[in-house]
Amino acid sequence: IDPRANRVTRRIRLRPGIFSLTHGYGALWVENYERGTLTRVEPGSGRIRSVRVGATPFAILPAYGRIWVTMWEAGTLVEVEPRTLRILRRTNVGPRPAGLRAAGEAVWVGFGRSANPEVVCAVHKGLVSGALSALGSELEVEGLDVFVRPDLCVARLTERS
């Protein structure tokens, strides 16, 4: 789409089963839940390349030089190199990972209300502890209060002993 003229300038056909899409690193990124793929679409050339990431990709995030994809059924976070589409790592994060956000030089994984609280807390505690350590903080995570509200967990911090 030409944003100035507000008109379609090119159509690119993709296979049925598209679930979500985003843009980053000079490309459009498309997840296909039927095929279990992540597809890179280069807008200038129309070139399309795909990599199989696994069953039920859910969320996509371009951040920190990578493309991050949650796998709903497998409970994993997949890290993909955007230029080569090589899968760099699969990390188990717990059941039904949903949203992704980048903040504080970390990738944060969100979970639906049906997620296992123990898994969510362990992941969040590890992320907060890692962030505090990376920042050279004198604080550490003492504990977490799970789902204080449907959209909120609270980390209790204390000074390192």
Side-chain angles (χ1 to χ4, degrees):
I1 298 175
D2 178 342
R4 283 180 241 142
N6 195 26
R7 66 181 185 87
V8 175
T9 58
R10 172 182 280 177
R11 295 180 191 271
I12 299 172
R13 292 195 185 273
L14 299 171
R15 298 189 180 238
I18 293 171
F19 181 71
S20 62
L21 56 94
T22 191
H23 64 88
Y25 308 116
L28 178 66
W29 299 91
V30 182
E31 286 177 334
N32 187 308
Y33 69 91
E34 287 182 1
R35 299 191 170 287
T37 56
L38 172 68
T39 299
R40 176 187 169 107
V41 180
E42 296 175 13
S45 66
R47 182 177 178 199
I48 299 171
R49 293 186 303 147
S50 296
V51 61
R52 188 149 176 72
V53 291
T56 330
F58 193 84
I60 319 169
L61 173 70
Y64 311 116
R66 302 287 186 251
I67 302 298
W68 305 85
V69 182
T70 58
M71 309 307 298
W72 179 260
E73 287 181 14
T76 57
L77 176 65
V78 178
E79 180 182 352
V80 179
E81 200 290 321
R83 191 178 48 78
T84 64
L85 296 185
R86 187 169 69 98
I87 294 178
L88 301 173
R89 180 175 21 184
R90 292 179 189 274
T91 304
N92 290 323
V93 294
R96 296 176 292 285
L100 288 170
R101 292 289 180 263
E105 297 183 32
V107 173
W108 297 83
V109 180
F111 293 86
R113 294 179 102 188
S114 61
N116 181 333
E118 291 84 32
V119 173
V120 173
C121 283
V123 170
H124 286 170
K125 184 176 180 181
L127 289 169
V128 172
S129 294
L132 290 170
S133 177
L135 294 170
S137 175
E138 295 297 319
L139 299 174
E140 64 184 1
V141 179
E142 179 181 67
L144 288 167
D145 296 328
V146 186
F147 301 122
V148 174
R149 292 193 324 238
D151 62 342
L152 177 68
C153 294
V154 175
R156 292 186 315 277
L157 305 178
T158 187
E159 288 189 37
R160 289 185 201 275
S161 39

